Amino acid sequence: MTDLRTSYLGLDLRSPIVASASPLTGDLDVLARLEAAGAAAVVLPSLFEEQVEHDLFELQRVLDTGAQSFTEASDFFPELDVYNTGPERYLTLVERAKERLSVPVIASLNGTTAGGWIRYAHLLQNAGADALELNLYVMAADPAVPASAVEETELELVAAVSSSVDVPVAVKLGPFYSSLPNFATRVVGAGARGLVLFNRFYQPDLDLERLEVAPRVALSTSEELRLPLRWIGVLHGHVDASLAATTGIHTGYDAAKLLLAGADVVMLASALLRNGPEHVGRVEATLLEWMATHEYESVGQLRGSVSQRAVADPSAYLRANYLQTLASYSSPFLA
């Protein structure tokens, strides 16, 4: 019988298929459906620093306005530290998910400053989260700030959060670093137990009628898995950390490719948003069928067997195949 078991962040999982952070994982009933379909772990939607600060600011504004209008109202309004603001709703989600599910529940933090996130990391750990996913979603758009300064700020954040909790911390990275392998190694050195590749930066669009910047969500396709595939293949065996692949995993064949490259787990978001929670079971069934056909008895045997370190031509992961790739393309407009 094919053994799908794997380990991620020190957590033993029944399979490598994980439900990534998305609107789906913020609903308890959907989380239960994901587990029933075979998800080996779930990553909750991100707790955003901007949203927490906005909620607290708005509540304080309302309280200040009310107190100034009616003096007697000052005895009515509750103290901020006991009011259901900021991360309270998210903490409740973590607690209820842990009560309802038997698979690991990973909480996600999306922030840019160390101070508040140390507090939130503690709160999430105390709420029962099995691990934390620190989502580095920062656009380096200031020409006056050098790359080294951006990286140092992010490393300080990783170190601060990792050292402040006992549960393992994974870091979700974007692909836009001058030397991704170097930065990935430094992130692990700062305390990360895992790397999630990659954060999918949603690009702005323009509304041609209103002449405004318009945010638009575009779900991924299987074509997009090539970016994490390349870098997981390169990093496998070079970093002492778990590797999670995200972006572009829609089928069991996609999952097999990322595992062959060296991923410990594959994370699905767009595929589940497009096809529903039960799609986890279809991905697993296809993966099992492929493994049986190719005589792989376990994920452990499969993992990393086509990483850069394992292939006959390691340069295939780098620029050496550039011309070959271009030459392999055919078009009906070419003779």
Side-chain angles (χ1 to χ4, degrees):
M1 184 174 179
T2 306
D3 184 3
L4 287 180
R5 290 177 299 173
T6 189
S7 178
Y8 177 59
L9 303 175
L11 303 169
D12 294 325
L13 305 184
R14 63 165 296 277
S15 90
I17 303 172
V18 174
S20 187
S22 79
L24 290 178
T25 58
D27 183 284
L28 285 171
D29 290 336
V30 175
L31 286 172
R33 289 171 61 187
L34 286 166
E35 180 180 36
V42 296
V43 184
L44 302 183
S46 286
L47 175 63
F48 285 84
E49 181 174 12
E50 298 96 322
Q51 185 62 48
V52 170
E53 299 304 326
H54 176 268
D55 290 348
L56 293 175
F57 174 80
E58 286 299 306
L59 179 62
Q60 185 65 62
R61 182 180 61 81
V62 171
L63 295 183
D64 288 345
T65 301
Q68 291 167 7
S69 301
F70 303 98
T71 305
E72 64 273 18
S74 61
D75 294 330
F76 170 79
F77 289 108
E79 293 295 327
L80 277 177
D81 58 353
V82 297
Y83 196 81
N84 186 26
T85 62
E88 294 303 323
R89 185 179 302 173
Y90 193 90
L91 294 172
T92 299
L93 174 63
V94 175
E95 292 170 352
R96 292 181 177 173
K98 281 299 298 177
E99 291 171 357
R100 190 160 178 179
L101 306 180
S102 60
V103 298
V105 174
I106 302 171
S108 176
L109 285 169
N110 190 316
T112 58
T113 61
W117 288 117
I118 295 175
R119 173 174 176 265
Y120 301 140
H122 272 290
L123 290 172
L124 292 170
Q125 175 179 259
N126 294 339
D130 295 289
L132 301 179
E133 182 176 285
L134 185 58
N135 194 333
L136 296 182
Y137 198 105
V138 180
M139 291 298 296
D142 187 345
V145 179
S148 58
V150 175
E151 293 185 3
E152 286 303 322
T153 299
E154 294 183 337
L155 291 169
E156 289 171 5
L157 176 60
V158 172
V161 173
S162 299
S163 63
S164 68
V165 293
D166 297 322
V167 296
V169 174
V171 177
K172 193 170 187 177
L173 297 174
F176 306 118
Y177 293 93
S178 298
S179 176
L180 180 65
N182 176 268
F183 186 68
T185 301
R186 294 168 70 197
V187 168
V188 174
R193 294 276 300 278
L195 301 173
V196 183
L197 308 177
F198 285 109
N199 205 332
R200 193 162 176 261
F201 290 89
Y202 292 101
Q203 310 300 338
D205 198 356
L206 293 181
D207 187 319
L208 292 177
E209 297 304 320
R210 301 175 64 180
L211 301 183
E212 295 178 350
V213 176
R216 302 190 194 281
V217 174
L219 299 180
S220 75
T221 68
S222 291
E223 294 297 319
E224 295 180 54
L225 70 78
R226 296 182 187 182
L227 183 62
L229 178 109
R230 161 180 271 178
W231 286 111
I232 285 175
V234 171
L235 290 174
H236 177 73
H238 291 288
V239 292
D240 185 19
S242 296
L243 295 175
T246 186
T247 299
I249 300 99
H250 289 257
T251 70
Y253 302 121
D254 296 336
K257 290 178 182 181
L258 272 304
L259 294 170
L260 285 166
D264 296 287
V265 296
V266 294
M267 295 186 169
L268 283 65
S270 291
L272 302 180
L273 289 167
R274 184 175 282 124
N275 301 295
E278 286 67 35
H279 188 61
V280 170
R282 293 189 285 273
V283 173
E284 180 177 309
T286 301
L287 175 62
L288 283 169
E289 180 184 5
W290 183 89
M291 291 177 66
T293 300
H294 293 80
E295 301 183 347
Y296 284 101
E297 297 180 356
S298 69
V299 167
Q301 179 188 11
L302 173 68
R303 186 191 305 112
S305 57
V306 192
S307 67
Q308 186 186 36
R309 298 179 65 184
V311 295
D313 179 16
S315 66
Y317 272 97
L318 305 176
R319 185 176 169 82
N321 68 339
Y322 186 70
L323 290 177
Q324 181 180 353
T325 300
L326 292 178
S328 67
Y329 182 78
S330 61
S331 169
F333 301 103
L334 294 173

